Amino acid sequence: YMTLPESDIAEIHALFPKLRIVFIARDLVHRAWSALTMALRNNVQGMQAGQFQNNTNTTDLDSVTQNRMEKEADPDRQTDEYFMNRLEHSTHTQRSDYAAGLRRWLQYFDAEQILIVNYDEISKDPKGLMEKVLTHIGVTSELELSMSELQKRFNVATKPRPIRPSLRKKMEAYLQPRAKEFNGLLKESGYEWTLKE
């Protein structure tokens, strides 16, 4: 929801002025890579950009079709330029500009209403993160969750693919200014962690 236009944020504020917001900031290169590979998979499956579901269940397809689709969705079959062109598309550019998105929200909500958390906390300290979020949204009851419950993964890509070094370097250079802007916002807001620049 970070990418919502200002008019939508204004309407949300008018309806819920005391809303408590949580923004999870993922490493920009990892976020972009995940989105780019998902878009490639979705495209191979016939889904349009921005579409989140398809009536085609790939598990219902015959093995030959499944294998063909897996090969076509293999990121190693695409060039660095293929991914960089897509990264420069407004959809990915907007989602990579955490600072601009959060500043739109901060025009309507006080900084105390917005909790910014580091995505890495999900795996490093899931219980601590859960407690931080619950405190922020005003839930004070004791929550008893086992570590196995807190470490369950949802919506996980079947085979996370590493980014080849040449592409990673290009993505880092392209996203570095956005990471720097976001880190400035974190510092202004009193946070002690930063994203990799």
Side-chain angles (χ1 to χ4, degrees):
Y1 303 106
M2 179 199 68
T3 61
L4 287 174
E6 189 175 331
S7 59
D8 291 351
I9 298 169
E11 184 175 355
I12 291 168
H13 182 264
L15 295 170
F16 308 102
K18 295 181 180 181
L19 183 68
R20 307 295 287 181
I21 299 161
V22 177
F23 177 73
I24 302 173
R26 187 175 185 184
D27 173 271
L28 286 172
V29 172
H30 293 156
R31 187 221 61 81
W33 181 242
S34 176
L36 290 167
T37 55
M38 182 181 74
L40 177 60
R41 273 192 321 272
N42 291 348
N43 187 35
V44 167
Q45 293 175 12
M47 295 170 62
Q48 300 300 313
Q51 185 179 0
F52 291 103
Q53 62 183 0
N54 188 345
N55 293 333
T56 305
N57 184 345
T58 55
T59 58
D60 293 340
L61 299 173
D62 63 80
S63 62
V64 173
T65 304
Q66 279 184 2
N67 287 338
R68 180 188 53 79
M69 290 175 80
E70 284 178 25
K71 285 180 184 174
E72 289 177 17
D74 181 352
D76 291 336
R77 292 173 52 112
Q78 304 299 331
T79 65
D80 289 2
E81 288 69 32
Y82 168 88
F83 287 112
M84 290 307 298
N85 285 337
R86 271 135 193 88
L87 181 58
E88 293 169 6
H89 185 275
S90 61
T91 298
H92 296 292
T93 299
Q94 190 177 29
R95 282 177 169 74
S96 296
D97 197 347
Y98 294 167
L102 283 167
R103 288 192 194 284
R104 279 195 304 278
W105 284 86
L106 286 165
Q107 290 177 50
Y108 295 90
F109 294 93
D110 293 335
E112 297 78 35
Q113 289 178 265
I114 302 174
L115 174 66
I116 306 170
V117 297
N118 186 333
Y119 176 88
D120 292 342
E121 287 184 60
I122 294 171
S123 60
K124 289 181 182 172
D125 184 15
K127 186 171 181 154
L129 175 59
M130 182 67 78
E131 290 169 357
K132 188 185 302 185
V133 169
L134 291 175
T135 299
H136 176 71
I137 64 174
V139 175
T140 56
S141 64
E142 290 294 318
L143 180 67
E144 290 298 324
L145 291 174
S146 69
M147 284 306 285
S148 65
E149 289 173 311
L150 288 169
Q151 292 174 332
K152 280 184 188 172
R153 297 185 69 188
F154 298 91
N155 198 21
V156 179
T158 51
K159 295 180 195 174
R161 301 295 300 251
I163 309 168
R164 60 183 164 261
S166 61
L167 178 56
R168 174 183 287 280
K169 190 172 184 175
K170 291 172 187 171
M171 291 175 71
E172 286 173 348
Y174 179 77
L175 294 168
Q176 189 270 342
R178 287 173 183 80
K180 189 172 184 170
E181 289 170 25
F182 178 67
N183 288 338
L185 183 133
L186 285 174
K187 187 175 181 181
E188 290 168 26
S189 302
Y191 289 90
E192 295 181 6
W193 60 273
T194 58
L195 288 181
K196 180 182 173 189
E197 290 184 22

